[in-house]
Amino acid sequence: MSKNGQAQETPEEKAKGAPARPAPPRPTKAKARPKARAKGGRSRGRALGWRLLKWGAVAAIWCVFIGLCFVAWLAYDLPDLSRLTNTARRASVTLVTADGQILASYGDLYGKAVKLDQLPPYLPDALLATEDRRFYAHFGIDPLGLLRAIITNVQAGHMVQGGSTITQQLAKNVFLTADRTIRRKGQEALLALWLEHNLSKQQILTLYLNRVYFGAGTYGVEAAARKYFGKSAAQVTPFEAAMLAGMVKAPSRYNPVNDPKAATERAKLVLFNMANAGYITAADADKYAAQGIASLRTPPAASGQYYADWVLDQVASYVNYADRDVVVVTTIDRQAQVAAEGVVAKILAADAGKNAGQAALIALSPDGAVRAMVGGRDYGSSQFNRATQSLRPPGSSFKLFVYLAAMEAGMSPGDVMNDTPISIAGYRPDNYDSKFFGRVTLREAFARSLNSVALQLSERVGRRKVIEMARRLGVTADLTAGPSIALGASGVSLLEMTGAYAALANHGNGVWPYGIEEILDGDGNTLYKRSGGGPGHVIGGHAAAEMIDMMQSVISSGTGKAAALDRPAAGKTGTSQDYRDAWFIGFTADLVTGVWVGNDDNSPMNKVTGGSLPTKIWHDFMTAAETGKPVLPLPTPGGGEVPVAALTPAAPAAITTASAGGAGGTGVATDPQRPLGDNTPSPEIQGIIDKLKVLSDQRKK
């Protein structure tokens, strides 16, 4: 065959002369190529499949490895799982009045652990209907619930639902913090799986009911039911059960004490959820919603908060309560406290044009027990206690010490001095209205609050004697021994000044203001009990009697006329320079009350003197506080019948140390005639102690 593909004759054919054979047809390239491509495609497909399988396996191995590393990262510092049954909480301090009314409580409150079969079935049903309807179907993590929450949140455009199950919430409450981090959520999921593996559904739900937070420092349904409804969780009504379940989402927002309206609306929604979940019928939901709360225990509205803070700061100096719950029996008089707060708010609001931004009030019994305390016009706006923490110039109310020193030096109210301009080392005091009255008795000078006479007396008896008198009566603030000491130029606290005046109402016996009568532990044992107190006799009877006589003239004919009551009273006004501070401190046979008015920034008021706003506040408060009390004469320290002898404290008792004493060896003041713990609490206080016993038992376990 030739190169061009044509047939050629063989030699034999040429010799015979035979015709040439046609060449066989040659396959075209078009027919040969598809076979080669198909074979190559199958090879490449198999290679690609093997590569995908190989790299898929590699990727799977890496995913498993990374997943294991992630789980290890989550698990390497998981908390101790033995904490599941432990209850770590702050010790609680409950402040109560003498008649058992709760003034304030601090710390965490856990109720007695309850079992599911001890609760009405609608209580756990309300919780499940609201928090985790698929609780008995999931394995600790609910993918369907999580998906439903995501869809709902996307449709709403913001967070409406959460996907956490009750098991996850229990894991977070017991073991973890509330931090919103991926790591914490991952640990929560691991712990939820562990809980589901090791505990039954009933055990998980029981633990949750006993550990979940319900607001106001309460943990568990038992503590919450007693806190809000005054009953055991086993006795709550369906509506109350719905309200408890509704608090779990936002304890502060749906707390019936903080916002009864929001809590009620939330409870109705829970009842609706219960009907949708099939736990109750729609008719039952409507019926329970109409019934409402059977009984709601609401504490008095923000009363005595300055006082409660003041008392709480002192508890640790008497007893060590880090490992125990304590009940503190205070000296507060609830009626007087409410009256004090109302009067201060009313008068400051009525005289808004006076530029008087703040006021403080202290009311003591003659032996120093604090019956009422107002540290400012609004605790919510400012927790600074102006009655105990603020040091302000007392103005002429400081003249008490000047005149007492003069009486002890032998002078008397009838002695005459010359009220005239005077200068001592360049110090030239003026009277309130720039008038001078010439020759006046000391009684008149004190009643009119004449400054030049007070300065002359201070210089005559000696400034050191004046300061010594203030120290004897309980003033501990720094006092500058300049000429202005006579007119109260140094800052002092309202509490100390009122305590100093109380010595006159206490027959010349010094007074240490106090707010704690007794401290008991959760088992009712007495840890501290006040017995006696005060520095003893600090003023001579003659000087005290003459001082009371002059102080009565302040109200009858002097600068404090607006303080006149329907019974004998004595007191003294005080105004600092440029009307920056205004004071009135006075007493009856029952109460010693001090009032201060001023501004926190020390700016001047609009001509507010001690005889104006402070005296008005004093008068209105004392009128309310003395309502219903018999009219008694003022004490007569100089001799004669003592009409208020029952209020005179016993001589200071020795401080004995008991095993229950406080930190640093602080002992327990006890009555030598009565053994420690022999005092039987009132039924009301005993009821509080009984509740705290539950907490003590919980801690011991």
Side-chain angles (χ1 to χ4, degrees):
M1 182 174 290
S2 64
K3 292 182 180 180
N4 58 7
Q6 295 181 350
Q8 294 182 351
E9 294 180 333
T10 65
E12 293 79 5
E13 290 174 338
K14 288 181 179 181
K16 295 178 179 180
R21 292 180 299 173
R26 180 181 179 183
T28 63
K29 292 182 180 180
K31 293 181 179 179
R33 286 175 183 168
K35 293 181 180 179
R37 184 176 295 125
K39 183 177 180 180
R42 286 194 297 270
S43 298
R44 284 194 298 271
R46 285 195 297 269
L48 179 61
W50 280 108
R51 283 196 299 270
L52 290 176
L53 182 62
K54 181 182 69 173
W55 288 111
V58 171
I61 292 172
W62 274 106
C63 287
V64 171
F65 177 74
I66 293 172
L68 291 174
C69 290
F70 179 71
V71 171
W73 177 61
L74 296 177
Y76 86 91
D77 65 344
L78 280 176
D80 182 8
L81 300 181
S82 65
R83 288 168 43 190
L84 183 62
T85 57
N86 293 341
T87 302
R89 64 183 182 87
R90 298 173 296 164
S92 70
V93 181
T94 304
L95 308 183
V96 300
T97 60
D99 59 357
Q101 298 183 62
I102 295 179
L103 177 67
S105 60
Y106 303 87
D108 299 336
L109 298 176
Y110 279 82
K112 179 181 178 181
V114 294
K115 299 179 180 179
L116 283 182
D117 58 9
Q118 296 174 320
L119 299 173
Y122 45 75
L123 179 50
D125 288 348
L127 188 68
L128 293 176
T130 305
E131 294 296 316
D132 191 356
R133 295 189 188 182
R134 288 174 39 81
F135 174 70
Y136 287 103
H138 61 66
F139 52 89
I141 301 172
D142 186 8
L144 292 179
L146 184 60
L147 180 61
R148 182 177 60 251
I150 292 174
I151 294 173
T152 302
N153 294 336
V154 170
Q155 290 175 343
H158 61 279
M159 182 65 71
V160 176
Q161 292 184 4
S164 294
T165 65
I166 280 181
T167 312
Q168 289 176 274
Q169 292 180 45
L170 177 63
K172 180 183 68 174
N173 291 340
V174 175
F175 300 111
L176 304 172
T177 66
D179 296 337
R180 294 179 176 271
T181 63
I182 294 177
R183 189 160 191 268
R184 202 274 294 165
K185 293 295 291 184
Q187 290 181 324
E188 179 185 296
L190 285 179
L191 289 170
L193 294 174
W194 181 90
L195 288 171
E196 290 279 345
H197 178 72
N198 289 275
L199 301 176
S200 69
K201 289 288 188 179
Q202 298 286 67
Q203 289 174 315
I204 291 173
L205 185 56
T206 299
L207 280 170
Y208 184 82
L209 285 167
N210 285 291
R211 300 299 293 271
V212 68
Y213 183 59
F214 286 95
T218 58
Y219 292 81
V221 290
E222 182 68 15
R226 293 192 179 278
K227 172 77 174 182
Y228 299 122
F229 311 127
K231 63 177 72 172
S232 169
Q235 300 172 317
V236 296
T237 66
F239 188 86
E240 291 166 347
M243 182 170 285
L244 289 173
M247 294 181 210
V248 174
K249 180 179 180 180
S252 297
R253 187 190 312 168
Y254 299 124
N255 183 320
V257 171
N258 290 347
D259 193 339
K261 183 178 180 181
T264 299
E265 293 303 316
R266 176 68 176 168
K268 292 178 180 179
L269 177 60
V270 172
L271 291 172
F272 176 77
N273 291 339
M274 293 176 69
N276 280 348
Y279 292 113
I280 60 175
T281 66
D284 286 337
D286 292 336
K287 180 178 69 174
Y288 298 148
Q291 291 174 352
I293 305 174
S295 60
L296 178 62
R297 294 184 63 181
T298 55
S303 180
Q305 291 176 296
Y306 287 108
Y307 174 82
D309 289 351
W310 177 68
V311 169
L312 182 66
D313 287 342
Q314 303 173 52
V315 175
S317 64
Y318 289 95
V319 299
N320 182 358
Y321 63 92
D323 60 345
R324 71 187 86 185
D325 300 304
V326 296
V327 176
V328 181
V329 183
T330 68
T331 60
I332 198 75
D333 182 320
R334 177 76 73 178
Q335 180 179 350
Q337 179 65 37
V338 172
E341 292 173 350
V343 167
V344 167
K346 177 182 177 181
I347 291 183
L348 286 182
D351 292 274
K354 297 292 187 179
N355 191 36
Q358 290 290 350
L361 181 149
I362 288 282
L364 311 174
S365 63
D367 70 340
V370 179
R371 302 304 187 193
M373 176 184 290
V374 179
R377 70 188 302 168
D378 182 12
Y379 181 87
S381 300
S382 171
Q383 290 77 55
F384 179 70
N385 193 334
R386 295 152 190 84
T388 62
Q389 297 174 291
S390 182
L391 301 179
R392 304 295 292 249
S396 293
S397 62
F398 195 85
K399 291 175 182 176
L400 167 73
F401 310 117
V402 176
Y403 277 76
L404 266 176
M407 296 302 106
E408 282 197 350
M411 303 189 73
S412 67
D415 289 346
V416 176
M417 295 190 71
N418 191 19
D419 176 38
T420 188
I422 186 174
S423 175
I424 303 293
Y427 181 65
R428 298 179 177 84
D430 199 358
N431 288 330
Y432 165 65
D433 51 6
S434 299
K435 294 181 180 179
F436 292 90
F437 294 84
R439 294 177 61 81
V440 293
T441 64
L442 294 187
R443 179 182 291 102
E444 182 180 357
F446 190 80
R448 291 180 177 272
S449 198
L450 302 180
N451 291 333
S452 70
V453 174
L455 181 58
Q456 293 176 58
L457 284 176
S458 176
E459 295 301 309
R460 178 177 296 187
V461 301
R463 302 169 198 165
R464 292 295 176 184
K465 290 290 185 180
V466 173
I467 294 176
E468 178 188 329
M469 178 61 69
R471 295 280 184 253
R472 264 199 277 161
L473 269 64
V475 175
T476 62
D478 292 334
L479 301 175
T480 303
S484 62
I485 187 68
L487 306 184
S490 299
V492 296
S493 76
L494 177 62
L495 181 64
E496 286 190 350
M497 284 295 293
T498 308
Y501 274 67
L504 294 167
N506 199 29
H507 307 284
N509 293 305
V511 166
W512 291 332
Y514 66 96
I516 299 175
E517 291 281 7
E518 189 174 10
I519 303 176
L520 307 101
D521 67 11
D523 294 320
N525 299 314
T526 298
L527 305 179
Y528 164 85
K529 184 174 179 63
R530 180 179 173 80
S531 180
H537 204 65
V538 294
I539 310 174
H542 179 72
E546 291 183 324
M547 196 72 242
I548 292 174
D549 172 58
M550 287 189 289
M551 292 173 71
Q552 285 183 283
S553 67
V554 172
I555 295 177
S556 62
S557 60
T559 56
K561 290 180 181 179
L565 302 172
D566 62 349
R567 62 194 65 219
K572 183 69 185 77
T573 58
T575 308
S576 69
Q577 191 173 18
D578 296 328
Y579 306 102
R580 299 178 189 276
D581 304 271
W583 300 62
F584 185 82
I585 308 174
F587 57 89
T588 64
D590 304 299
L591 284 175
V592 184
T593 300
V595 177
W596 166 87
V597 176
N599 292 306
D600 287 340
D601 61 2
N602 204 34
S603 61
M605 294 177 286
N606 186 11
K607 295 187 177 180
V608 174
T609 66
S612 58
L613 293 188
T615 308
K616 289 181 182 179
I617 293 173
W618 190 93
H619 170 271
D620 289 2
F621 165 73
M622 292 293 281
T623 299
E626 296 276 16
T627 300
K629 294 182 179 180
V631 176
L632 298 174
L634 294 176
T636 54
E641 183 180 355
V642 181
V644 289
L647 297 178
T648 304
I655 301 298
T656 59
T657 302
S659 59
T666 302
V668 178
T670 61
D671 187 340
Q673 304 301 319
R674 183 183 298 181
L676 184 67
D678 189 43
N679 308 298
T680 303
S682 68
E684 295 82 3
I685 295 177
Q686 185 62 51
I688 297 173
I689 291 172
D690 290 341
K691 295 174 185 177
L692 289 181
K693 284 183 180 179
V694 174
L695 305 179
S696 297
D697 293 341
Q698 186 93 9
R699 183 184 294 279
K700 292 174 183 177
K701 293 178 181 178

